[in-house]
Amino acid sequence: MPRANRLLPLLAIAVMLGGAAPSPKAVARPNVVVILADDVALMDFGVYGGEARTPNIDALAGRGALFTQYRASPLCSPSRAMLLTGMDAHLTGVATIPEVLPKEQRGKPGYAMALEPGVLTLADRLRAQGYRTVMAGKWHMGEAPGEMPQAHGFDRSFALAASGADNWADRSYMPYYKDAPWFENGVEASLPKDFYSSRFIVDKLIAYLGETDQTKPFFAYVPFQAIHIPVQAPQQFIDRYKGRYDKGWEVLRAERHGRAQALGLIPRGAPMADLPPGYRRWTSLSEQDRALYAARMEVNAAMLEAMDFHIGRLIRHLKASGAYDNTIFVISSDNGPEPSRGDDDPTLRAFHRLTGYDIGAGTMGGPGHWGFIGPEWAAAAATPGAWYKFYATEGGIRVPLIMAGPGIAPRRIATPAMVTDIAPTLLDWLKVDPGTARGKPMTGRSLLPVLGGEVASAYAADEPRAVEVSGNAALYLGDYKITRSVPPVGDGQWRLYNLARDPGETTDLSAREPAIRQQLLTAYGAYAKRMGVLEMPPGYDSRAQISQNVGARLLTNYPWLYLVLGGVLLAFLAIVWMVVRGLRRLLRRRTATQ
């Protein structure tokens, strides 16, 4: 029960005793801190059973609510849009990410790749209520002046417009971006020489809290780059995980599957999740490659611990300023772990040579290193879910969620929650009616009655919940789920699972329970129509689309490549011309001798 409500019985008693009710001390409105990790799996935080040390996150979970059945979207930008607005991503304008957007969807309603007119963020709504609003970290919902945080309710912001960037320097991490587009309050900005992303994000946020009106409560949005590629971390954190992953990804899968059962994240005896196609066995790698991949996973854990360390700095600052006890904390991830490799794509290899990035052991985790964990480690980290980021399988969208703050008792919540529910929950917590603002209505619902123990679930058993990004889709209804995964890993077919018995999505029930499958497909069709979901063009393959979009941007970012390609083409044509000329001469000689 909120503190203000607990005072009411005391006041009533005083009135009944015949005396005038004492004037209670005004209770300040709670502050809000929303911390969003990038590509963190359900079990990555220590409190969820992960290997990385995350004592500060674990401590917040220990004094608040830990959700075990929370779902985001399978990609970062749609999750961020839904988290900040409480609306389905298709209604916000950020239905997917520009890197995978086909030309058939560009500019269509819901696919602007930036928040569309009438879409209000938490910052918009809370600033109108007298809050100061600050953010530092990854934005990735538009780069034009009218698309950045300062146009969407933030008083102060230091925002990365791209899907990611280097964690040690002011540089791009993929050829889709020419540089790292960082903006401060909408103006392009540079980074300090001693930059490390997690440290810098917290430094900047603390500075903004000091610069803004101290008489107002604050809303702080803290979207970290950790643990998005490139995976990089300070050496002192890396050293703590030496040898931890030497046994390989099959062992990690088994360990996490066992811990998931012990922690109650899945039922005892639940089958282990299916492996994605193309999965390599640990023993199939050379000894040198096994050492390299184990080291990459060490950096991954270290990057997560480094993020937690700097979250601890923010918490200590709030305690020192007296704000901690009256601050609501939300901690989550945008989607499951990142499966992309840095060693199997010709365009990426060319980009690494062009920019001087190293993927070997020599610079592991440090400046100039382009770190990744790859699909096998990603699938292992996503356990007990199947697959990983990009796909609406459980490994792609079932992620951690922690809420702590005044009036919330420590507890685990095992009933459904969606990323669209966070914004309406916070507004309800702060007693802000979203209907009073002139914006598009939210589609999520408040989890506050669940947090307070008033109801068991915010969703009825017969109420569907759905998510879709670039053809990858899922719909939940009771214990059942249908899901579709598009190429290159998926085949575009709908499958039906009973998650109560099979949380790893190992047994397709489509043939056994066709009526339930059709019921869920009908519900998905209604959702897609209501939200304006566009079908993918025939033959759509997300990896091929990324390559196509990256190739186009590569030439835009590096126009001198036209000269190189033109030179190569001219050289090729010259060779062809010489070959043809030689063949003609030879033919004439033969004709002359006949």
Side-chain angles (χ1 to χ4, degrees), residues 58-65 324-327 329 403-406 408-411:
D58 298 352
L60 288 172
R63 59 182 284 260
Y324 175 80
D325 289 334
N326 197 38
T327 296
F329 291 89
M403 288 188 175
I408 297 301
R411 60 177 304 197

Side-chain angles (χ1 to χ4, degrees), residues 166-455:
D166 194 279
N167 295 284
W168 290 112
D170 197 348
R171 62 190 296 194
S172 170
Y173 83 108
M174 67 178 293
Y176 189 83
Y177 303 99
K178 185 177 181 180
D179 53 20
W182 285 97
F183 295 82
E184 184 163 29
N185 304 321
V187 178
E188 195 163 359
S190 57
L191 302 176
K193 291 183 179 179
D194 63 345
F195 174 80
Y196 179 69
S197 64
S198 293
R199 180 181 64 239
F200 176 81
I201 285 168
V202 169
D203 285 348
K204 186 58 69 171
L205 196 80
I206 290 174
Y208 287 156
L209 290 177
E211 295 168 5
T212 48
D213 189 346
Q214 305 293 296
T215 65
K216 295 181 178 181
F218 63 80
F219 166 59
Y221 176 44
V222 200
F224 285 94
Q225 290 177 234
I227 47 179
H228 193 281
I229 51 175
V231 180
Q232 300 162 317
Q235 191 63 46
Q236 66 266 32
F237 293 105
I238 298 173
D239 290 342
R240 300 178 188 182
Y241 298 94
K242 289 299 181 185
R244 177 61 183 85
Y245 300 100
D246 286 355
K247 294 181 180 179
W249 35 66
E250 284 96 356
V251 171
L252 183 66
R253 281 187 80 226
E255 288 176 350
R256 288 205 174 188
H257 186 254
R259 289 200 296 272
Q261 295 175 80
L263 292 169
L265 298 176
I266 58 173
R268 290 280 185 182
M272 190 178 291
D274 286 338
L275 293 169
Y279 189 98
R280 297 170 294 174
R281 295 291 170 184
W282 183 253
T283 53
S284 71
L285 272 62
S286 67
E287 185 175 346
Q288 181 180 5
D289 281 345
R290 287 198 295 269
L292 193 59
Y293 270 92
R296 287 170 175 150
M297 198 62 177
E298 292 166 7
V299 179
N300 192 72
M303 191 177 186
L304 192 57
E305 183 177 351
M307 180 189 76
D308 181 84
F309 173 82
H310 292 290
I311 289 172
R313 290 178 50 235
L314 175 61
I315 289 172
R316 288 192 295 275
H317 171 79
L318 295 178
K319 287 181 176 179
S321 67
Y324 175 80
D325 289 334
N326 197 38
T327 296
I328 299 167
F329 291 89
V330 177
I331 304 174
S332 189
S333 173
D334 57 355
N335 45 246
E338 167 70 66
S340 300
R341 290 169 58 181
D343 58 358
D344 66 343
D345 182 87
T347 303
L348 196 53
R349 283 201 299 268
F351 172 74
H352 289 161
R353 287 194 294 269
L354 187 68
T355 56
Y357 267 122
D358 174 42
I359 61 171
T363 58
M364 183 65 67
H369 184 260
W370 201 93
F372 64 93
I373 63 172
E376 293 84 9
W377 279 129
T383 306
W387 298 16
Y388 32 58
K389 176 182 176 179
F390 297 114
Y391 300 98
T393 52
E394 291 297 275
I397 62 178
R398 187 184 178 192
V399 294
L401 172 64
I402 295 163
M403 288 188 175
I408 297 301
R411 60 177 304 197
R412 283 173 53 130
I413 295 177
T415 51
M418 302 293 288
V419 64
T420 47
D421 300 336
I422 291 176
T425 300
L426 290 171
L427 293 178
D428 193 11
W429 203 332
L430 301 174
K431 296 182 173 53
V432 176
D433 180 3
T436 59
R438 294 183 179 179
K440 295 180 180 178
M442 294 180 170
T443 58
R445 73 259 323 273
S446 173
L447 300 171
L448 195 63
V450 180
L451 287 166
E454 300 166 28
V455 299

